Amino acid sequence: MIRSALMNVMTAAAIKAGRSLKRDFGEVENLQVSVKGPGDFVSAADRRAEKVVFEELSRARPGYGFLMEESGAVEGSDKTHTWHIDPLDGTSNFLHGIPIFAVSIGLEREGQLVAGVVYNPATDDMFVAEKGQGAYHNNRRMRVASRKSLGDSLIACGIPPLAAVDRHALFQTELTAVMAKTGNIRRMGAAALDLAGVAAGRYDAYWERGIKPWDIAAGIVLVREAGGFVSDLDGSGDMLPKGAICAGNETIHRLLLDTVRKARA
């Protein structure tokens, strides 16, 4: 595990927010009788976790800016550092009592992503990475998978929700193309954990559109420090502004990116 002061700050904030989420997750099952009730409850859980992360990081690194899912942008006096915070990635899973969700914290320094923490409090899985220091799952070093063939690969993806109906047709086209070449596909519902899964070698690659910076900032660092490659779906490095991502080892990343690009041509 990385023992730097920065990583200690980030993991402590994630664990504290995770305790709040874990308590709330225990109550979700009791709310399933109401359509409105669970949604309101999860929104409150999301805000509580974000408040914890914001307060912890503000105390430890005063002046850093924030970009957060719930509260948006908070400008800091230190213009060179920005936290990217998703206090509850995998909200739908959380709402339905599925223990696949995470606190995601990424740090951007002078335009470069330099550290990431993804923590699933339901399973106590902690994924961390810092630029130049490697990537770890709990206390174990992570490396991306070494497969070289799409036919042998397990690929993660994100499916656009009902609200993103304008992306449905394109996703179906891409999915059909990937299904024709790859071993199998998974949709788990939490982008941060999908990227952590690529870093850990569980998935060979992952692609998705329509995601926000706070969904992927931490995971990008995880994949890179685990020896993987990350780009947007045009092959450039504009994942955060474009809201699109492709990640994997060098070979599978290239093959998946090529397949997705040809599908939409």
Side-chain angles (χ1 to χ4, degrees):
M1 183 68 81
I2 302 167
R3 304 297 181 186
S4 69
L6 173 61
M7 196 52 56
N8 289 339
V9 165
M10 295 174 70
T11 55
I15 290 170
K16 189 169 183 179
R19 283 199 294 266
S20 172
L21 288 174
K22 195 169 184 177
R23 286 193 300 269
D24 289 336
F25 187 63
E27 298 296 323
V28 167
E29 187 175 358
N30 299 325
L31 296 170
Q32 295 304 312
V33 294
S34 165
V35 173
K36 181 180 179 182
D40 289 349
F41 183 86
V42 172
S43 294
D46 210 332
R47 289 192 298 270
R48 278 192 293 269
E50 185 173 276
K51 184 173 184 289
V52 168
V53 175
F54 178 77
E55 291 177 348
E56 290 293 307
L57 295 180
S58 294
R59 185 180 305 114
R61 295 291 189 273
Y64 284 19
F66 287 81
L67 184 61
M68 300 177 284
E69 181 179 24
E70 298 301 319
S71 303
V74 176
E75 191 170 325
S77 57
D78 181 346
K79 308 302 182 186
T80 64
H81 289 88
T82 301
W83 297 109
H84 294 268
I85 310 298
D86 190 343
L88 178 52
D89 184 45
T91 304
S92 293
N93 288 343
F94 187 96
L95 171 62
H96 289 89
I98 299 170
I100 303 173
F101 59 89
V103 181
S104 179
I105 303 172
L107 178 62
E108 183 179 356
R109 176 184 296 139
E110 296 180 340
Q112 299 295 318
L113 294 169
V114 297
V117 167
V118 175
Y119 177 57
N120 182 346
T123 59
D124 203 30
D125 282 307
M126 177 73 76
F127 302 89
V128 304
E130 189 171 350
K131 189 174 182 180
Q133 302 297 316
Y136 292 81
H137 172 214
N138 296 335
N139 292 315
R140 189 171 185 175
R141 184 74 179 257
M142 295 193 296
R143 296 293 298 177
V144 294
S146 58
R147 293 179 186 86
K148 303 299 183 183
S149 166
L150 273 178
D152 296 328
S153 297
L154 181 65
I155 307 296
C157 71
I159 300 174
L162 178 62
V165 66
D166 58 314
R167 296 201 309 272
H168 287 188
L170 176 58
F171 172 74
Q172 289 172 350
T173 299
E174 293 176 347
L175 180 63
T176 298
V178 175
M179 286 174 63
K181 292 186 176 184
T182 194
N184 217 320
I185 296 174
R186 295 288 183 272
R187 158 56 165 167
M188 303 304 286
L193 288 173
D194 287 335
L195 286 164
V198 172
R202 297 174 177 177
Y203 303 127
D204 296 284
Y206 156 71
W207 96 98
E208 187 168 359
R209 296 178 183 277
I211 45 182
K212 301 295 184 182
W214 50 77
D215 294 320
I216 58 174
I220 288 171
V221 186
L222 294 178
V223 173
R224 286 174 171 168
E225 288 299 310
F229 285 68
V230 187
S231 72
D232 61 36
L233 290 172
D234 294 314
S236 68
D238 297 327
M239 296 81 67
L240 300 189
K242 287 186 178 178
I245 192 167
C246 181
N249 70 31
E250 183 177 10
T251 301
I252 302 301
H253 169 265
R254 175 175 48 81
L255 292 173
L256 177 60
L257 185 63
D258 186 58
T259 300
V260 171
R261 284 195 291 195
K262 286 180 178 177
R264 71 175 191 269

